[in-house]
């Protein structure tokens, strides 16, 4: 089928590689890039099936300025929550297109490994089963595709695991050991499940590829940008230094701020996310955070 990838960062280019195996795919982004099948945005937007890999904080602005509605379907590839409003991406995109035209891709998928055609398994979630199946069937042989109707569960788990990945990096950066990291990841899974349930997400989604699968991956690997943010915090670096060294998006940073805001409004207990927020926003000493979590 004819598809367009919008956003030519690491994940957009990896999804271009993946979807190109079986489909006729073009790619576009706000700045022109010398890459295969790069087309102007106006041309990309005419495709019926879009994949949008723009980081969560920029989606609303990008849609307002660029989106032209031709009745396209959108596969959302970002993993984050809008900080300014606390809105999930299905609500942000929902302000522009109806829910039955939206699907979400989640699961363990470092762009660098997808780019090399290494095997993984991912979930496409949508309230429109046929649409989820269409995007899943278009995946290449090296990606096993599953479908789900739990859009909120997919979104919350994909966004929340980035915050726990920052905590994972802090834990390893402080040299707290394998036991501590396993405890942190397990409690992180409980925490993100509790948060998602408050918004109607299904519990089992958090045990799936998009929940536990992606959490285990990112909270324990230096390939994760969010984990590397945590390593930087453990070394006592400030956020400006960490983010400029990273040079790529770390969605866990704005998402920790969004979670802080939502948790306050809805009175949800999120101890690990609260410590990540305190380290990022208030410059709290990571060792103090560990002490407070153990208490
Ligand atoms: N890299 C990975 O392994 C994976 C990334 N993701 C998610 O995909 C999303 C994108 O991540 P990456 O491509 O890895 O990030 P990246 O840092 O490699 O690229 C970011 C992309 O966003 C574009 N961008 C930045 N500001 C923009 C704006 N104001 N308007 C429009 N476009 C803008 C940039 O031009 C660039 O193409 C994130 O939400 C991330 O969590 C999801 C799965 C895997
Ligand atoms: O979501 C990812 C892999 O599934 C990528 O994680 P990072 O953004 O932390 O690198």
């Amino acid at each position: 089928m004819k598809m367009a990838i919008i956003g030519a960062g690491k994940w957009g280019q990896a999804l271009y590689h993946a979807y190109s195996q079986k489909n006729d795919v073009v790619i576009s982004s706000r700045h022109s890039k010398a890459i295969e099948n790069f087309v102007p945005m106006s041309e990309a937007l005419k495709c019926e099936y879009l994949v949008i890999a723009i980081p969560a904080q920029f989606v609303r602005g990008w849609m307002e300025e660029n989106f032209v509605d031709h009745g396209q379907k959108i596969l959302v590839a970002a993993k984050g929550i809008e900080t300014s409003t606390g809105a999930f991406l299905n609500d942000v995109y929902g302000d522009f297109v109806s829910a039955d035209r939206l699907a979400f891709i989640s699961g363990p998928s470092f762009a660098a490994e997808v780019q090399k055609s290494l095997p993984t398994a991912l979930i496409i979630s949508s309230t429109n089963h046929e649409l989820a199946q269409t995007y899943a069937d278009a995946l290449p042989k090296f990606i096993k595709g599953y479908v789900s109707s739990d859009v909120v569960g997919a979104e919350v788990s994909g966004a929340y695991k980035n915050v726990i990945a920052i905590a994972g990096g802090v834990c390893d950066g402080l040299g707290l050991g394998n036991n501590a990291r396993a405890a942190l990841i397990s409690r992180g899974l409980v925490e993100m499940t509790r948060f998602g349930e408050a918004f109607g997400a299904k519990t089992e989604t958090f045990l799936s590829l998009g929940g536990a699968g992606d959490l285990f991956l990112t909270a324990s690997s230096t390939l994760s940008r969010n984990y590397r943010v945590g390593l930087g915090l453990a070394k006592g670096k400030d956020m400006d230094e960490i983010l400029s060294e990273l040079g790529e998006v770390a969605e866990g940073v704005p998402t920790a701020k969004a979670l802080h805001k939502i948790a306050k409004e809805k009175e949800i207990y999120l101890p690990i996310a609260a410590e990540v927020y305190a380290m990022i926003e208030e410059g709290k000493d990571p060792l103090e955070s560990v002490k407070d979590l153990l208490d």
Side-chain angles (χ1 to χ4, degrees), residues 27 29 34 38 62 66 75 78 105 119 125 136 169 181 193 240 251 256 275 280 288:
I27 183 165
S29 75
F38 189 94
W62 187 87
N66 300 281
L75 179 66
I105 185 163
S125 308
R181 190 181 55 236
T193 306
D240 288 344
E251 291 277 24
E275 292 304 331
I280 289 172
E288 281 301 312

Side-chain angles (χ1 to χ4, degrees), residues 3-193:
M3 298 174 84
I5 313 289
I6 292 173
K10 288 274 155 60
W11 191 217
Q13 291 197 47
L15 284 168
Y16 168 79
H17 170 76
Y19 273 121
S20 295
Q21 307 301 313
K22 290 199 327 208
N23 308 279
D24 179 9
V25 188
V26 294
I27 183 165
S28 191
S29 75
R30 60 192 173 137
H31 304 307
S32 181
K33 284 197 174 172
I35 50 177
E36 186 185 271
N37 285 333
F38 189 94
V39 296
M41 192 59 74
S42 54
E43 195 180 316
L45 281 170
K46 286 184 191 142
C47 288
E48 185 180 355
Y49 292 93
L50 305 180
V51 179
I52 304 190
I54 294 174
Q57 307 310 318
F58 309 124
V59 166
R60 191 182 294 280
W62 187 87
M63 288 293 283
E64 278 168 359
E65 280 169 33
N66 300 281
F67 188 66
V68 183
D69 196 343
H70 301 296
Q72 311 93 319
K73 283 78 174 176
I74 298 175
L75 179 66
V76 178
K79 295 174 178 169
I81 301 175
E82 190 178 61
T83 307
S84 57
T85 58
F88 297 157
L89 290 179
N90 74 75
D91 292 321
V92 177
Y93 278 102
D95 286 344
F96 301 89
V97 303
S98 55
D100 63 341
R101 287 165 57 193
L102 290 173
F104 295 79
I105 185 163
S106 62
S109 51
F110 283 137
E113 295 184 0
V114 171
Q115 193 76 50
K116 289 185 205 155
S117 304
L118 293 172
T120 189
L122 301 177
I123 307 186
I124 309 285
S125 308
S126 176
T127 53
N128 177 348
H129 176 79
E130 201 184 319
L131 181 64
Q133 198 63 60
T134 302
Y135 276 113
D137 290 345
L139 287 167
K141 281 209 164 92
F142 64 86
I143 298 179
K144 185 164 173 68
Y146 290 82
V147 295
S148 162
S149 60
D150 186 10
V151 166
V152 175
E155 270 222 66
V156 169
S157 52
Y160 212 120
K161 66 87 193 168
N162 285 329
V163 177
I164 306 299
I166 295 177
V170 170
C171 183
D172 286 351
L174 292 173
L176 302 182
N178 295 303
N179 297 339
R181 190 181 55 236
L184 177 79
I185 291 174
S186 307
R187 293 309 304 171
L189 186 55
V190 171
E191 185 174 310
M192 63 195 231
T193 306

